[in-house]
Amino acid sequence: MRIHLTSVFVDDQEQALRFYTEVLGFVTKHDVPLGSDRWLTVVSPEDPEGTELLLEPSGHPAVQPYKTALVRDGIPAASFAVGDVRAECERLRRLGVRFTQEPLEMGPVTTAVLDDTVGNLIQIMHSR
């Protein structure tokens, strides 16, 4: 068994697609119109057949209270692995990304948390 698909709820799919591709560096895997929404997934360019991230519309009534609580409490909706958290933070800052947690070393793991501009906090991390 392996993880095939996971999702984050996004307030605006088009804005999310721009952020997750142009800023974070993912690539579009599927973009299928579904009425006023889309089945919109991205993948790592390093693993195009790997786990897909669904940029899922936040339309369900339970989503906004859930997302608001996570952000209020500083809890990331997802975590992405990077080679070097500090270097990635610098790259992302140059692109205008806002961080809610600066790089933090916790033993062999370093993490940072950023605002994805569509209602979520996202953690980036690496292990030594």
Side-chain angles (χ1 to χ4, degrees), residues 5-36:
L5 176 84
T6 190
S7 64
V8 291
F9 291 108
V10 299
D11 296 338
D12 179 308
Q13 284 187 300
E14 190 59 38
Q15 182 178 336
L17 181 61
R18 281 192 304 274
F19 184 83
Y20 280 78
T21 57
E22 296 172 15
V23 177
L24 296 185
F26 293 107
V27 294
T28 304
K29 177 79 176 199
H30 297 287
D31 188 350
V32 179
L34 295 172
S36 62

PDB file of all heavy atoms in Angstrom, residues 5-36:
ATOM      1  N   LEU A   5      -2.812   9.851  -3.408  1.00  0.00           N
ATOM      2  CA  LEU A   5      -3.366  11.196  -3.509  1.00  0.00           C
ATOM      3  C   LEU A   5      -3.642  11.720  -2.111  1.00  0.00           C
ATOM      4  O   LEU A   5      -4.118  10.986  -1.252  1.00  0.00           O
ATOM      5  CB  LEU A   5      -4.684  11.138  -4.304  1.00  0.00           C
ATOM      6  CG  LEU A   5      -5.474  12.430  -4.442  1.00  0.00           C
ATOM      7  CD1 LEU A   5      -4.924  13.240  -5.608  1.00  0.00           C
ATOM      8  CD2 LEU A   5      -6.945  12.117  -4.676  1.00  0.00           C
ATOM      9  N   THR A   6      -3.333  12.977  -1.906  1.00  0.00           N
ATOM     10  CA  THR A   6      -3.735  13.670  -0.690  1.00  0.00           C
ATOM     11  C   THR A   6      -4.189  15.056  -1.133  1.00  0.00           C
ATOM     12  O   THR A   6      -4.005  15.424  -2.297  1.00  0.00           O
ATOM     13  CB  THR A   6      -2.597  13.712   0.348  1.00  0.00           C
ATOM     14  OG1 THR A   6      -3.114  14.187   1.590  1.00  0.00           O
ATOM     15  CG2 THR A   6      -1.433  14.552  -0.114  1.00  0.00           C
ATOM     16  N   SER A   7      -4.796  15.810  -0.250  1.00  0.00           N
ATOM     17  CA  SER A   7      -5.337  17.087  -0.699  1.00  0.00           C
ATOM     18  C   SER A   7      -5.157  18.184   0.329  1.00  0.00           C
ATOM     19  O   SER A   7      -4.938  17.924   1.510  1.00  0.00           O
ATOM     20  CB  SER A   7      -6.829  16.937  -1.026  1.00  0.00           C
ATOM     21  OG  SER A   7      -7.556  16.608   0.125  1.00  0.00           O
ATOM     22  N   VAL A   8      -5.238  19.407  -0.154  1.00  0.00           N
ATOM     23  CA  VAL A   8      -5.370  20.592   0.689  1.00  0.00           C
ATOM     24  C   VAL A   8      -6.573  21.360   0.156  1.00  0.00           C
ATOM     25  O   VAL A   8      -6.798  21.421  -1.059  1.00  0.00           O
ATOM     26  CB  VAL A   8      -4.117  21.497   0.707  1.00  0.00           C
ATOM     27  CG1 VAL A   8      -2.962  20.829   1.415  1.00  0.00           C
ATOM     28  CG2 VAL A   8      -3.711  21.952  -0.670  1.00  0.00           C
ATOM     29  N   PHE A   9      -7.369  21.903   1.065  1.00  0.00           N
ATOM     30  CA  PHE A   9      -8.501  22.721   0.671  1.00  0.00           C
ATOM     31  C   PHE A   9      -7.998  24.121   0.358  1.00  0.00           C
ATOM     32  O   PHE A   9      -7.277  24.716   1.167  1.00  0.00           O
ATOM     33  CB  PHE A   9      -9.536  22.784   1.801  1.00  0.00           C
ATOM     34  CG  PHE A   9     -10.237  21.486   2.040  1.00  0.00           C
ATOM     35  CD1 PHE A   9      -9.964  20.733   3.166  1.00  0.00           C
ATOM     36  CD2 PHE A   9     -11.180  21.014   1.137  1.00  0.00           C
ATOM     37  CE1 PHE A   9     -10.620  19.534   3.400  1.00  0.00           C
ATOM     38  CE2 PHE A   9     -11.840  19.814   1.351  1.00  0.00           C
ATOM     39  CZ  PHE A   9     -11.562  19.067   2.491  1.00  0.00           C
ATOM     40  N   VAL A  10      -8.368  24.642  -0.787  1.00  0.00           N
ATOM     41  CA  VAL A  10      -7.891  25.959  -1.207  1.00  0.00           C
ATOM     42  C   VAL A  10      -9.061  26.892  -1.468  1.00  0.00           C
ATOM     43  O   VAL A  10     -10.108  26.480  -1.953  1.00  0.00           O
ATOM     44  CB  VAL A  10      -6.983  25.855  -2.457  1.00  0.00           C
ATOM     45  CG1 VAL A  10      -5.760  24.998  -2.141  1.00  0.00           C
ATOM     46  CG2 VAL A  10      -7.715  25.305  -3.666  1.00  0.00           C
ATOM     47  N   ASP A  11      -8.867  28.166  -1.131  1.00  0.00           N
ATOM     48  CA  ASP A  11      -9.919  29.161  -1.297  1.00  0.00           C
ATOM     49  C   ASP A  11     -10.125  29.560  -2.756  1.00  0.00           C
ATOM     50  O   ASP A  11     -11.211  29.994  -3.124  1.00  0.00           O
ATOM     51  CB  ASP A  11      -9.600  30.418  -0.481  1.00  0.00           C
ATOM     52  CG  ASP A  11      -9.572  30.141   1.009  1.00  0.00           C
ATOM     53  OD1 ASP A  11     -10.186  29.144   1.448  1.00  0.00           O
ATOM     54  OD2 ASP A  11      -8.919  30.911   1.738  1.00  0.00           O
ATOM     55  N   ASP A  12      -9.094  29.426  -3.575  1.00  0.00           N
ATOM     56  CA  ASP A  12      -9.155  29.825  -4.988  1.00  0.00           C
ATOM     57  C   ASP A  12      -8.240  28.882  -5.764  1.00  0.00           C
ATOM     58  O   ASP A  12      -7.026  28.924  -5.589  1.00  0.00           O
ATOM     59  CB  ASP A  12      -8.699  31.275  -5.105  1.00  0.00           C
ATOM     60  CG  ASP A  12      -8.700  31.804  -6.511  1.00  0.00           C
ATOM     61  OD1 ASP A  12      -8.110  31.154  -7.403  1.00  0.00           O
ATOM     62  OD2 ASP A  12      -9.264  32.890  -6.737  1.00  0.00           O
ATOM     63  N   GLN A  13      -8.831  28.041  -6.608  1.00  0.00           N
ATOM     64  CA  GLN A  13      -8.024  27.035  -7.307  1.00  0.00           C
ATOM     65  C   GLN A  13      -7.009  27.662  -8.260  1.00  0.00           C
ATOM     66  O   GLN A  13      -5.880  27.174  -8.358  1.00  0.00           O
ATOM     67  CB  GLN A  13      -8.921  26.052  -8.064  1.00  0.00           C
ATOM     68  CG  GLN A  13      -9.584  25.039  -7.159  1.00  0.00           C
ATOM     69  CD  GLN A  13     -10.315  23.985  -7.951  1.00  0.00           C
ATOM     70  OE1 GLN A  13     -11.237  24.309  -8.705  1.00  0.00           O
ATOM     71  NE2 GLN A  13      -9.912  22.738  -7.773  1.00  0.00           N
ATOM     72  N   GLU A  14      -7.373  28.708  -8.962  1.00  0.00           N
ATOM     73  CA  GLU A  14      -6.442  29.331  -9.907  1.00  0.00           C
ATOM     74  C   GLU A  14      -5.259  29.949  -9.173  1.00  0.00           C
ATOM     75  O   GLU A  14      -4.109  29.781  -9.571  1.00  0.00           O
ATOM     76  CB  GLU A  14      -7.164  30.383 -10.760  1.00  0.00           C
ATOM     77  CG  GLU A  14      -6.329  30.888 -11.912  1.00  0.00           C
ATOM     78  CD  GLU A  14      -5.902  29.786 -12.877  1.00  0.00           C
ATOM     79  OE1 GLU A  14      -6.693  28.855 -13.143  1.00  0.00           O
ATOM     80  OE2 GLU A  14      -4.762  29.849 -13.372  1.00  0.00           O
ATOM     81  N   GLN A  15      -5.533  30.652  -8.095  1.00  0.00           N
ATOM     82  CA  GLN A  15      -4.456  31.244  -7.286  1.00  0.00           C
ATOM     83  C   GLN A  15      -3.593  30.134  -6.683  1.00  0.00           C
ATOM     84  O   GLN A  15      -2.368  30.256  -6.636  1.00  0.00           O
ATOM     85  CB  GLN A  15      -5.047  32.121  -6.183  1.00  0.00           C
ATOM     86  CG  GLN A  15      -4.000  32.813  -5.329  1.00  0.00           C
ATOM     87  CD  GLN A  15      -4.625  33.713  -4.268  1.00  0.00           C
ATOM     88  OE1 GLN A  15      -5.756  34.165  -4.413  1.00  0.00           O
ATOM     89  NE2 GLN A  15      -3.893  33.969  -3.215  1.00  0.00           N
ATOM     90  N   ALA A  16      -4.223  29.066  -6.226  1.00  0.00           N
ATOM     91  CA  ALA A  16      -3.476  27.937  -5.663  1.00  0.00           C
ATOM     92  C   ALA A  16      -2.569  27.312  -6.719  1.00  0.00           C
ATOM     93  O   ALA A  16      -1.407  27.008  -6.438  1.00  0.00           O
ATOM     94  CB  ALA A  16      -4.435  26.879  -5.108  1.00  0.00           C
ATOM     95  N   LEU A  17      -3.087  27.130  -7.928  1.00  0.00           N
ATOM     96  CA  LEU A  17      -2.269  26.546  -8.988  1.00  0.00           C
ATOM     97  C   LEU A  17      -1.039  27.402  -9.258  1.00  0.00           C
ATOM     98  O   LEU A  17       0.068  26.880  -9.378  1.00  0.00           O
ATOM     99  CB  LEU A  17      -3.099  26.373 -10.266  1.00  0.00           C
ATOM    100  CG  LEU A  17      -2.358  25.740 -11.441  1.00  0.00           C
ATOM    101  CD1 LEU A  17      -1.867  24.341 -11.093  1.00  0.00           C
ATOM    102  CD2 LEU A  17      -3.254  25.724 -12.673  1.00  0.00           C
ATOM    103  N   ARG A  18      -1.227  28.716  -9.331  1.00  0.00           N
ATOM    104  CA  ARG A  18      -0.074  29.608  -9.543  1.00  0.00           C
ATOM    105  C   ARG A  18       0.944  29.466  -8.408  1.00  0.00           C
ATOM    106  O   ARG A  18       2.138  29.348  -8.647  1.00  0.00           O
ATOM    107  CB  ARG A  18      -0.542  31.061  -9.669  1.00  0.00           C
ATOM    108  CG  ARG A  18      -1.101  31.411 -11.027  1.00  0.00           C
ATOM    109  CD  ARG A  18      -1.273  32.912 -11.208  1.00  0.00           C
ATOM    110  NE  ARG A  18      -2.093  33.536 -10.178  1.00  0.00           N
ATOM    111  CZ  ARG A  18      -3.423  33.608 -10.214  1.00  0.00           C
ATOM    112  NH1 ARG A  18      -4.088  33.088 -11.232  1.00  0.00           N
ATOM    113  NH2 ARG A  18      -4.075  34.201  -9.246  1.00  0.00           N
ATOM    114  N   PHE A  19       0.464  29.490  -7.162  1.00  0.00           N
ATOM    115  CA  PHE A  19       1.377  29.416  -6.022  1.00  0.00           C
ATOM    116  C   PHE A  19       2.115  28.074  -5.978  1.00  0.00           C
ATOM    117  O   PHE A  19       3.329  28.027  -5.817  1.00  0.00           O
ATOM    118  CB  PHE A  19       0.627  29.650  -4.699  1.00  0.00           C
ATOM    119  CG  PHE A  19       1.541  29.684  -3.517  1.00  0.00           C
ATOM    120  CD1 PHE A  19       2.214  30.850  -3.168  1.00  0.00           C
ATOM    121  CD2 PHE A  19       1.749  28.552  -2.739  1.00  0.00           C
ATOM    122  CE1 PHE A  19       3.073  30.890  -2.084  1.00  0.00           C
ATOM    123  CE2 PHE A  19       2.616  28.578  -1.650  1.00  0.00           C
ATOM    124  CZ  PHE A  19       3.280  29.755  -1.323  1.00  0.00           C
ATOM    125  N   TYR A  20       1.375  26.992  -6.109  1.00  0.00           N
ATOM    126  CA  TYR A  20       1.983  25.668  -5.970  1.00  0.00           C
ATOM    127  C   TYR A  20       2.905  25.315  -7.140  1.00  0.00           C
ATOM    128  O   TYR A  20       3.834  24.532  -6.970  1.00  0.00           O
ATOM    129  CB  TYR A  20       0.899  24.601  -5.756  1.00  0.00           C
ATOM    130  CG  TYR A  20       0.410  24.568  -4.330  1.00  0.00           C
ATOM    131  CD1 TYR A  20      -0.493  25.508  -3.847  1.00  0.00           C
ATOM    132  CD2 TYR A  20       0.884  23.615  -3.438  1.00  0.00           C
ATOM    133  CE1 TYR A  20      -0.921  25.496  -2.529  1.00  0.00           C
ATOM    134  CE2 TYR A  20       0.457  23.590  -2.111  1.00  0.00           C
ATOM    135  CZ  TYR A  20      -0.442  24.541  -1.671  1.00  0.00           C
ATOM    136  OH  TYR A  20      -0.857  24.525  -0.349  1.00  0.00           O
ATOM    137  N   THR A  21       2.680  25.910  -8.319  1.00  0.00           N
ATOM    138  CA  THR A  21       3.559  25.635  -9.456  1.00  0.00           C
ATOM    139  C   THR A  21       4.646  26.711  -9.585  1.00  0.00           C
ATOM    140  O   THR A  21       5.827  26.390  -9.567  1.00  0.00           O
ATOM    141  CB  THR A  21       2.762  25.515 -10.773  1.00  0.00           C
ATOM    142  OG1 THR A  21       2.014  26.698 -11.006  1.00  0.00           O
ATOM    143  CG2 THR A  21       1.856  24.294 -10.741  1.00  0.00           C
ATOM    144  N   GLU A  22       4.256  27.971  -9.690  1.00  0.00           N
ATOM    145  CA  GLU A  22       5.223  29.033  -9.955  1.00  0.00           C
ATOM    146  C   GLU A  22       6.112  29.355  -8.761  1.00  0.00           C
ATOM    147  O   GLU A  22       7.247  29.789  -8.930  1.00  0.00           O
ATOM    148  CB  GLU A  22       4.504  30.289 -10.428  1.00  0.00           C
ATOM    149  CG  GLU A  22       3.790  30.096 -11.750  1.00  0.00           C
ATOM    150  CD  GLU A  22       2.917  31.280 -12.139  1.00  0.00           C
ATOM    151  OE1 GLU A  22       3.062  32.378 -11.537  1.00  0.00           O
ATOM    152  OE2 GLU A  22       2.077  31.106 -13.046  1.00  0.00           O
ATOM    153  N   VAL A  23       5.604  29.178  -7.554  1.00  0.00           N
ATOM    154  CA  VAL A  23       6.377  29.521  -6.356  1.00  0.00           C
ATOM    155  C   VAL A  23       7.000  28.273  -5.735  1.00  0.00           C
ATOM    156  O   VAL A  23       8.219  28.207  -5.551  1.00  0.00           O
ATOM    157  CB  VAL A  23       5.506  30.281  -5.328  1.00  0.00           C
ATOM    158  CG1 VAL A  23       6.279  30.562  -4.056  1.00  0.00           C
ATOM    159  CG2 VAL A  23       4.985  31.584  -5.932  1.00  0.00           C
ATOM    160  N   LEU A  24       6.175  27.279  -5.411  1.00  0.00           N
ATOM    161  CA  LEU A  24       6.718  26.087  -4.762  1.00  0.00           C
ATOM    162  C   LEU A  24       7.437  25.157  -5.732  1.00  0.00           C
ATOM    163  O   LEU A  24       8.313  24.404  -5.319  1.00  0.00           O
ATOM    164  CB  LEU A  24       5.621  25.330  -4.018  1.00  0.00           C
ATOM    165  CG  LEU A  24       4.968  26.077  -2.840  1.00  0.00           C
ATOM    166  CD1 LEU A  24       3.979  25.168  -2.125  1.00  0.00           C
ATOM    167  CD2 LEU A  24       6.002  26.621  -1.878  1.00  0.00           C
ATOM    168  N   GLY A  25       7.073  25.195  -7.008  1.00  0.00           N
ATOM    169  CA  GLY A  25       7.804  24.421  -7.999  1.00  0.00           C
ATOM    170  C   GLY A  25       7.198  23.086  -8.392  1.00  0.00           C
ATOM    171  O   GLY A  25       7.818  22.304  -9.113  1.00  0.00           O
ATOM    172  N   PHE A  26       5.967  22.806  -7.946  1.00  0.00           N
ATOM    173  CA  PHE A  26       5.298  21.584  -8.386  1.00  0.00           C
ATOM    174  C   PHE A  26       4.882  21.746  -9.850  1.00  0.00           C
ATOM    175  O   PHE A  26       4.907  22.848 -10.397  1.00  0.00           O
ATOM    176  CB  PHE A  26       4.078  21.288  -7.509  1.00  0.00           C
ATOM    177  CG  PHE A  26       4.427  20.930  -6.095  1.00  0.00           C
ATOM    178  CD1 PHE A  26       4.203  21.810  -5.053  1.00  0.00           C
ATOM    179  CD2 PHE A  26       5.003  19.699  -5.802  1.00  0.00           C
ATOM    180  CE1 PHE A  26       4.524  21.480  -3.745  1.00  0.00           C
ATOM    181  CE2 PHE A  26       5.330  19.355  -4.495  1.00  0.00           C
ATOM    182  CZ  PHE A  26       5.095  20.245  -3.471  1.00  0.00           C
ATOM    183  N   VAL A  27       4.465  20.649 -10.483  1.00  0.00           N
ATOM    184  CA  VAL A  27       3.970  20.698 -11.854  1.00  0.00           C
ATOM    185  C   VAL A  27       2.550  20.145 -11.895  1.00  0.00           C
ATOM    186  O   VAL A  27       2.191  19.263 -11.108  1.00  0.00           O
ATOM    187  CB  VAL A  27       4.877  19.928 -12.838  1.00  0.00           C
ATOM    188  CG1 VAL A  27       6.244  20.593 -12.958  1.00  0.00           C
ATOM    189  CG2 VAL A  27       5.039  18.480 -12.435  1.00  0.00           C
ATOM    190  N   THR A  28       1.751  20.676 -12.816  1.00  0.00           N
ATOM    191  CA  THR A  28       0.368  20.228 -12.956  1.00  0.00           C
ATOM    192  C   THR A  28       0.335  18.799 -13.485  1.00  0.00           C
ATOM    193  O   THR A  28       1.007  18.482 -14.456  1.00  0.00           O
ATOM    194  CB  THR A  28      -0.394  21.155 -13.924  1.00  0.00           C
ATOM    195  OG1 THR A  28      -0.289  22.497 -13.447  1.00  0.00           O
ATOM    196  CG2 THR A  28      -1.864  20.759 -14.018  1.00  0.00           C
ATOM    197  N   LYS A  29      -0.444  17.959 -12.845  1.00  0.00           N
ATOM    198  CA  LYS A  29      -0.639  16.575 -13.297  1.00  0.00           C
ATOM    199  C   LYS A  29      -2.000  16.451 -13.989  1.00  0.00           C
ATOM    200  O   LYS A  29      -2.085  15.961 -15.096  1.00  0.00           O
ATOM    201  CB  LYS A  29      -0.549  15.624 -12.101  1.00  0.00           C
ATOM    202  CG  LYS A  29      -0.809  14.177 -12.409  1.00  0.00           C
ATOM    203  CD  LYS A  29       0.383  13.506 -13.023  1.00  0.00           C
ATOM    204  CE  LYS A  29       0.104  12.023 -13.215  1.00  0.00           C
ATOM    205  NZ  LYS A  29       1.301  11.253 -13.381  1.00  0.00           N
ATOM    206  N   HIS A  30      -3.070  16.886 -13.317  1.00  0.00           N
ATOM    207  CA  HIS A  30      -4.417  16.826 -13.888  1.00  0.00           C
ATOM    208  C   HIS A  30      -5.089  18.175 -13.701  1.00  0.00           C
ATOM    209  O   HIS A  30      -4.965  18.794 -12.646  1.00  0.00           O
ATOM    210  CB  HIS A  30      -5.266  15.748 -13.201  1.00  0.00           C
ATOM    211  CG  HIS A  30      -4.742  14.371 -13.371  1.00  0.00           C
ATOM    212  ND1 HIS A  30      -4.826  13.677 -14.555  1.00  0.00           N
ATOM    213  CD2 HIS A  30      -4.111  13.544 -12.511  1.00  0.00           C
ATOM    214  CE1 HIS A  30      -4.264  12.489 -14.421  1.00  0.00           C
ATOM    215  NE2 HIS A  30      -3.823  12.381 -13.187  1.00  0.00           N
ATOM    216  N   ASP A  31      -5.819  18.597 -14.717  1.00  0.00           N
ATOM    217  CA  ASP A  31      -6.622  19.821 -14.640  1.00  0.00           C
ATOM    218  C   ASP A  31      -7.889  19.558 -15.454  1.00  0.00           C
ATOM    219  O   ASP A  31      -7.932  19.777 -16.656  1.00  0.00           O
ATOM    220  CB  ASP A  31      -5.852  21.016 -15.186  1.00  0.00           C
ATOM    221  CG  ASP A  31      -6.565  22.332 -14.937  1.00  0.00           C
ATOM    222  OD1 ASP A  31      -7.749  22.313 -14.513  1.00  0.00           O
ATOM    223  OD2 ASP A  31      -5.950  23.392 -15.180  1.00  0.00           O
ATOM    224  N   VAL A  32      -8.897  19.028 -14.760  1.00  0.00           N
ATOM    225  CA  VAL A  32     -10.131  18.585 -15.406  1.00  0.00           C
ATOM    226  C   VAL A  32     -11.284  19.444 -14.907  1.00  0.00           C
ATOM    227  O   VAL A  32     -11.547  19.487 -13.694  1.00  0.00           O
ATOM    228  CB  VAL A  32     -10.408  17.093 -15.078  1.00  0.00           C
ATOM    229  CG1 VAL A  32     -11.702  16.635 -15.737  1.00  0.00           C
ATOM    230  CG2 VAL A  32      -9.224  16.220 -15.473  1.00  0.00           C
ATOM    231  N   PRO A  33     -11.994  20.139 -15.814  1.00  0.00           N
ATOM    232  CA  PRO A  33     -13.148  20.944 -15.397  1.00  0.00           C
ATOM    233  C   PRO A  33     -14.241  20.063 -14.786  1.00  0.00           C
ATOM    234  O   PRO A  33     -14.545  18.989 -15.290  1.00  0.00           O
ATOM    235  CB  PRO A  33     -13.645  21.568 -16.700  1.00  0.00           C
ATOM    236  CG  PRO A  33     -12.521  21.426 -17.674  1.00  0.00           C
ATOM    237  CD  PRO A  33     -11.753  20.218 -17.254  1.00  0.00           C
ATOM    238  N   LEU A  34     -14.798  20.532 -13.668  1.00  0.00           N
ATOM    239  CA  LEU A  34     -15.917  19.853 -12.998  1.00  0.00           C
ATOM    240  C   LEU A  34     -16.933  20.917 -12.621  1.00  0.00           C
ATOM    241  O   LEU A  34     -16.977  21.376 -11.482  1.00  0.00           O
ATOM    242  CB  LEU A  34     -15.442  19.121 -11.746  1.00  0.00           C
ATOM    243  CG  LEU A  34     -14.491  17.953 -11.942  1.00  0.00           C
ATOM    244  CD1 LEU A  34     -13.952  17.462 -10.598  1.00  0.00           C
ATOM    245  CD2 LEU A  34     -15.200  16.819 -12.655  1.00  0.00           C
ATOM    246  N   GLY A  35     -17.726  21.354 -13.573  1.00  0.00           N
ATOM    247  CA  GLY A  35     -18.660  22.448 -13.309  1.00  0.00           C
ATOM    248  C   GLY A  35     -17.888  23.728 -13.066  1.00  0.00           C
ATOM    249  O   GLY A  35     -17.022  24.095 -13.850  1.00  0.00           O
ATOM    250  N   SER A  36     -18.148  24.374 -11.941  1.00  0.00           N
ATOM    251  CA  SER A  36     -17.437  25.617 -11.628  1.00  0.00           C
ATOM    252  C   SER A  36     -16.081  25.348 -10.965  1.00  0.00           C
ATOM    253  O   SER A  36     -15.307  26.276 -10.754  1.00  0.00           O
ATOM    254  CB  SER A  36     -18.297  26.497 -10.719  1.00  0.00           C
ATOM    255  OG  SER A  36     -18.545  25.833  -9.487  1.00  0.00           O
TER     256      SER A  36
END
